[in-house]
Amino acid sequence: MHLIPRPARLTTTPGAWQLTETTGLLADPAAGEAAELLRELVGRPAGSKLAPAAEPGPDTIRLRVDPALADEEYRLSVSAEGVVITGGRRGLPFAVQTLRQLLPAEIFATGPDGGAAWAVPYVEIEDAPRFGWRGVMLDVARHWYPVEFLYRMVDLAALHKLNVVHLHLTDDQGWRMEIDRYPRLTEVGAWRAESMLGHYTEGRYDGVPHGGFYTKRELRDLVAHARTRGITIVPEIDMPGHMRAAIAAYPELGDDPGRARPVATDWGVHEQVLNVSEETIAFCRHVLEEVLEVFPSEWIHVGGDECPKREWEESPRAQARLRELGLPDADALQSWFIGRMAAFLAEHGRRLIGWDEILQGGLTPGATVMSWRGEQGGIDAARAGHDAVMCPHTHTYFDFYQAEPDGEPLAIGGLTTLEQVYAYQPVPAGLDAEAAGHVLGTQGQLWSEYLPTTAHVEYMAFPRLCALAEVAWGTAGEYAEFTERLLAHRRRLDHLGVAYRR
Ligand code: TNX
């Protein structure tokens, strides 16, 4: 049946059900959005209106919500009696994706169908994910992509039953979210003069201005689209490091306002960071207020990674602040900063998530850690009773090469093969049951320094994201069996025009 991710339990019986022009759809009131999704993803390409049906029967699809099931759980029965889908509160969109994959691959074709017979084998499926955080991160700061591509990534994530799309919206090289209160963030911060070419050490530039941003309206619409597919968009505003685009727009945010510098054109870690004044804290809070208006996500990502401490060590103002706050060193300033943001988010009923450097100088109460420099950050966090999402660069950095570099397009470095991704175990060995319970899941990272085009993003993301999705769903098994399923799955990706690595 070649489903990816593989369902937790599946049994087949001989025979097949046919989706036809006359097939009806009977949906509970609570299943209205899933019914629309089914019409869009299954009915329309199959040439069936899936008109509302009055009663269940052999020629109907029945959609029900059963709050007794786990949130993301679903049941799917296909038999001579028709199709019956039951989902927990957030389970139905995943069942729709399963039904879609059970149909011939042509259901993924975007043009008119070639008159395929829309047969679905008789099956009984009981399915639920092992992990509640199944994510993919897209860095839209190093390279901006058209908003249509964000929709496509959401749809491709949904196809693989992921439930988080994390948008890295700001960095040294660009600020991508419109903020009404601070228009220069996008007027100035969304544009850079040129981009670095080749590897970091080569010092070559393309001489071509680059930039772009998303309006709040565009992002709100994206959030709504994602929600109907079971996906939460987690926004990231990276602070207090990786902030050069904002400092270029508002130099008073930096430690040395007299030394204005443009939006960065090179990659890497930049020394220039936010200052630690109350005014700058207020700026961050104001930005986050607008982020909260647009993104209903429980978690809000504040970055926290790679914040060099030199400016805080050398700035008399930062040193005075440090003494005033009674803090021992600049590392402690970082955790103080993150703590202020966590408190702000908590006041608004949200939770802070950050890269594992937020452990530096003491972990903020309630903070969730994204463990990227290996697994230790996640292990420490989970043992201390904090939630963690496991994103070690060794297994989940899809900006790394996926095969030996000769013959591959330029990538940042590293080597993470499909097989390595598939073998990843998100719960590190040695965690006791309680700590293991704090591992929320895992996520693939598409850092985009070396991903100038959307086709290139797809090339790096797929098929590795197919493998990680199955790891996160919790049903990964034999690699050989997976690759066989993947061969069939590739036909779906072909119809969708995904530029995956063959
Ligand atoms: C480290 S991972 C970074 C990013 C880079 C990435 C490149 C992390 C939290 N910070 O700024 O894009 O490496 O792989």
Side-chain angles (χ1 to χ4, degrees):
M1 236 140 282
H2 309 302
L3 303 175
I4 290 186
R6 191 162 62 87
R9 274 178 303 279
L10 176 152
T11 51
T12 57
T13 45
W17 175 87
Q18 299 288 328
L19 171 66
T20 70
E21 270 174 31
T22 60
T23 301
L25 177 57
L26 178 58
D28 280 3
E33 273 189 357
E36 282 320 302
L37 188 65
L38 194 66
R39 288 195 173 97
E40 180 185 337
L41 297 181
V42 171
R44 198 199 298 151
S48 176
K49 291 213 159 48
L50 295 179
E55 283 172 28
D59 195 23
T60 63
I61 301 176
R62 174 116 174 74
L63 276 180
R64 306 176 41 235
V65 173
D66 180 356
L69 295 181
D71 248 21
E72 297 189 293
E73 185 176 0
Y74 73 90
R75 307 274 161 88
L76 170 60
S77 163
V78 182
S79 73
E81 325 279 281
V83 176
V84 180
I85 297 173
T86 312
R89 284 191 184 81
R90 294 184 297 132
L92 289 177
F94 306 114
V96 169
Q97 298 292 346
T98 300
L99 182 60
R100 196 180 175 208
Q101 290 196 13
L102 285 168
L103 282 153
E106 287 72 26
I107 200 75
F108 291 87
T110 39
D113 76 83
W118 302 108
V120 182
Y122 290 161
V123 282
E124 299 294 326
I125 292 175
E126 291 182 14
D127 201 12
R130 175 172 174 208
F131 294 106
W133 189 299
R134 306 180 302 280
V136 59
M137 186 220 67
L138 181 62
D139 171 6
V140 294
R142 273 55 176 272
H143 281 99
W144 176 87
Y145 309 109
V147 71
E148 293 73 30
F149 183 66
L150 305 190
Y151 278 79
R152 182 168 166 90
M153 282 304 289
V154 164
D155 291 351
L156 289 170
L159 167 61
H160 296 89
K161 297 189 175 70
L162 299 180
N163 66 355
V164 168
V165 171
H166 163 183
L167 292 179
H168 183 74
L169 288 165
T170 67
D171 214 304
D172 299 309
Q173 299 83 4
W175 184 285
R176 306 291 174 223
M177 177 178 171
E178 172 186 53
I179 301 291
D180 296 327
R181 187 169 181 144
Y182 302 110
R184 285 174 61 82
L185 285 174
T186 44
E187 284 166 11
V188 174
W191 310 95
R192 63 174 181 257
E194 57 182 352
S195 307
M196 185 166 236
L197 280 178
H199 264 135
Y200 193 60
T201 45
E202 296 171 30
R204 290 189 292 127
Y205 293 83
D206 65 1
V208 182
H210 177 87
F213 65 93
Y214 309 108
T215 65
K216 288 164 85 171
R217 174 75 196 273
E218 284 174 323
L219 292 169
R220 271 200 197 97
D221 290 348
L222 180 74
V223 165
H225 176 89
R227 196 180 48 106
T228 62
R229 282 145 175 83
I231 289 188
T232 302
I233 308 274
V234 174
E236 177 182 354
I237 305 293
D238 202 344
M239 61 180 82
H242 286 285
M243 264 283 179
R244 246 186 78 174
I247 301 170
Y250 295 99
E252 63 272 25
L253 296 171
D255 282 289
D256 188 358
R259 212 163 42 113
R261 295 230 220 100
V263 176
T265 56
D266 57 345
W267 320 130
V269 178
H270 293 82
E271 292 283 342
Q272 207 175 24
V273 303
L274 291 182
N275 66 39
V276 289
S277 68
E278 239 3 82
E279 291 74 22
T280 295
I281 294 282
F283 163 86
C284 293
R285 281 208 310 256
H286 293 145
V287 167
L288 288 180
E289 268 165 21
E290 296 194 32
V291 168
L292 299 188
E293 281 167 25
V294 172
F295 298 98
S297 167
E298 177 181 1
W299 274 277
I300 301 293
H301 205 303
V302 298
D305 57 315
E306 299 177 325
C307 177
K309 305 298 179 305
R310 194 173 60 88
E311 285 196 347
W312 295 348
E313 275 152 9
E314 290 177 0
S315 148
R317 225 165 34 123
Q319 286 299 311
R321 188 90 168 114
L322 200 146
R323 283 189 298 277
E324 177 192 320
L325 294 165
L327 298 173
D329 54 23
D331 268 359
L333 265 178
Q334 152 120 352
S335 65
W336 168 83
F337 196 108
I338 298 295
R340 294 290 302 268
M341 295 304 126
F344 170 81
L345 291 174
E347 277 164 32
H348 291 78
R350 310 291 185 100
R351 298 176 66 184
L352 179 143
I353 184 164
W355 301 107
D356 57 44
E357 287 92 332
I358 66 171
L359 286 154
Q360 281 170 12
L363 189 49
T364 306
T368 300
V369 168
M370 254 185 191
S371 189
W372 73 277
R373 295 173 302 171
E375 296 193 299
Q376 198 56 46
I379 293 171
D380 293 346
R383 289 210 168 118
H386 288 252
D387 287 341
V389 179
M390 302 307 289
C391 309
H393 59 93
T394 47
H395 291 79
T396 69
Y397 270 40
F398 298 158
D399 57 336
F400 283 20
Y401 285 104
Q402 45 196 324
E404 289 304 330
D406 352 321
E408 288 297 309
L410 183 76
I412 194 164
L415 176 63
T416 299
T417 64
L418 181 64
E419 187 165 5
Q420 279 168 287
V421 175
Y422 194 66
Y424 183 54
Q425 311 256 4
V427 176
L431 283 191
D432 63 25
E434 200 191 327
H438 284 294
V439 174
L440 301 180
T442 185
Q443 171 176 295
Q445 274 55 244
L446 292 159
W447 296 108
S448 66
E449 292 97 322
Y450 296 87
L451 309 182
T453 66
T454 58
H456 202 145
V457 175
E458 292 180 9
Y459 180 87
M460 298 304 270
F462 298 101
R464 287 185 288 189
L465 197 55
C466 310
L468 194 69
E470 189 156 297
V471 166
W473 194 260
T475 50
E478 286 295 317
Y479 181 64
E481 188 275 334
F482 168 74
T483 53
E484 205 180 296
R485 257 183 300 127
L486 186 60
L487 273 182
H489 187 66
R490 279 167 49 154
R491 296 194 38 229
R492 302 179 185 125
L493 301 181
D494 284 334
H495 281 297
L496 291 168
V498 177
Y500 62 87
R501 182 179 190 279
R502 272 148 216 282

